[in-house]
Amino acid sequence: KQEVTQIPAALSVPEGENLVLNCSFTDSAIYNLQWFRQDPGKGLTSLLLIQSSQREQTSGRLNASLDKSSGRSTLYIAASQPGDSATYLCAVVPEGFQKLVFGTGTRLLVSP
Amino acid sequence: GAVVSQHPSRVICKSGTSVKIECRSLDFQATTMFWYRQFPKQSLMLMATSNEGSKATYEQGVEKDKFLINHASLTLSTLTVTSAHPEDSSFYICSAIKGFRQGPNTGELFFGEGSRLTVL
């Protein structure tokens, strides 16, 4: 059974810092991995999608990497801003299944 | 990106009544949609997978007679909470896959804004 874990559970940083969020999964047989952002009381916003054949994806200040063999993905946020404060979730689609398995999430707070 | 619209965003109802939540993919066709439930400060819990034109597949422990799911078209799935009770109060979120047809899923998932249900 696929399990997805995110570290740290919570993170508080001053504005401007570069930071890394970690996601690990127990079964390397995945179709893709997706990073989401969730603001309080809101739905999820897709940030980056990495197919199993890819190693990384970039969008603006965000860069996500994928190492399937070690079961790890990282989300790098450059020059963090208060508007980045949210909960970040990673999720994987296991091979042979259609449904995502979500990580436990990282609550990020960027202070001005 | 693609847009998934969920309605209503908030609903308050009395115990024993039924509530319907709609999930629409506005600018793409979604043969598969998912319904999640989220408790405060917890991650999403998959309730069921909704496939257009067929019966939904429910996760273990989810009562299919209580949470009725209908996916009548390629752009609309509905979740009806029947005979709602206070313990059904939660945040319900739907998602849809863009570009998914059959076989391996390589599509990207897009989420609705969620619906906050409060049962008095």
Side-chain angles (χ1 to χ4, degrees):
Chain A
K1 179 183 176 183
Q2 177 74 268
E3 294 183 358
V4 183
T5 305
Q6 289 184 244
I7 295 173
L11 183 62
S12 182
V13 300
E15 181 177 8
E17 276 201 10
N18 302 322
L19 50 96
V20 176
L21 308 182
N22 297 292
C23 172
S24 61
F25 45 96
T26 55
D27 189 342
S28 61
I30 65 171
Y31 278 137
N32 63 40
L33 183 145
Q34 216 169 327
W35 282 93
F36 296 92
R37 159 187 182 138
Q38 186 177 28
D39 294 289
K42 300 290 186 180
L44 275 67
T45 300
S46 177
L47 297 175
L48 291 164
L49 168 69
I50 308 178
Q51 301 293 352
S52 60
S53 59
Q54 298 174 327
R55 295 299 298 264
E56 67 175 346
Q57 285 287 332
T58 298
S59 176
R61 295 182 293 109
L62 305 179
N63 175 277
S65 66
L66 175 63
D67 184 342
K68 261 184 60 174
S69 60
S70 66
R72 293 178 183 177
S73 177
T74 61
L75 178 66
Y76 176 81
I77 302 177
S80 59
Q81 303 172 357
D84 295 330
S85 299
T87 296
Y88 290 81
L89 294 161
C90 71
V92 300
V93 175
E95 285 184 4
F97 298 89
Q98 302 176 6
K99 52 195 179 186
L100 266 64
V101 178
F102 278 93
T104 48
T106 295
R107 293 191 308 277
L108 173 65
L109 176 63
V110 181
S111 54
Chain B
V3 179
V4 174
S5 174
Q6 205 172 322
H7 178 80
S9 58
R10 293 179 181 273
V11 57
I12 301 173
C13 70
K14 293 182 178 180
S15 184
T17 61
S18 295
V19 175
K20 180 184 287 187
I21 301 171
E22 294 186 346
C23 179
R24 293 180 184 274
S25 56
L26 297 185
D27 53 357
F28 66 99
Q29 292 182 338
T31 55
T32 301
M33 291 184 174
F34 302 97
W35 287 95
Y36 299 84
R37 184 173 180 175
Q38 187 177 34
F39 293 101
K41 296 187 178 181
Q42 293 188 24
S43 192
L44 280 70
M45 180 190 77
L46 180 66
M47 298 175 64
T49 301
S50 170
N51 293 296
E52 186 266 335
S54 63
K55 291 183 178 181
T57 302
Y58 290 81
E59 294 300 299
Q60 191 172 10
V62 178
E63 299 176 61
K64 61 181 180 180
D65 293 331
K66 178 154 189 69
F67 299 99
L68 300 179
I69 292 173
N70 183 275
H71 194 157
S73 76
L74 287 172
T75 60
L76 174 64
S77 176
T78 61
L79 167 67
T80 301
V81 182
T82 63
S83 187
H85 291 284
E87 57 264 31
D88 298 326
S89 299
S90 190
F91 193 56
Y92 294 88
I93 308 177
C94 72
S95 66
I97 296 179
K98 183 178 182 182
F100 174 76
R101 291 295 178 184
Q102 294 180 356
N105 167 22
T106 58
E108 187 170 354
L109 212 69
F110 295 91
F111 283 79
E113 281 295 301
S115 298
R116 173 75 59 191
L117 171 63
T118 302
V119 184
L120 303 176

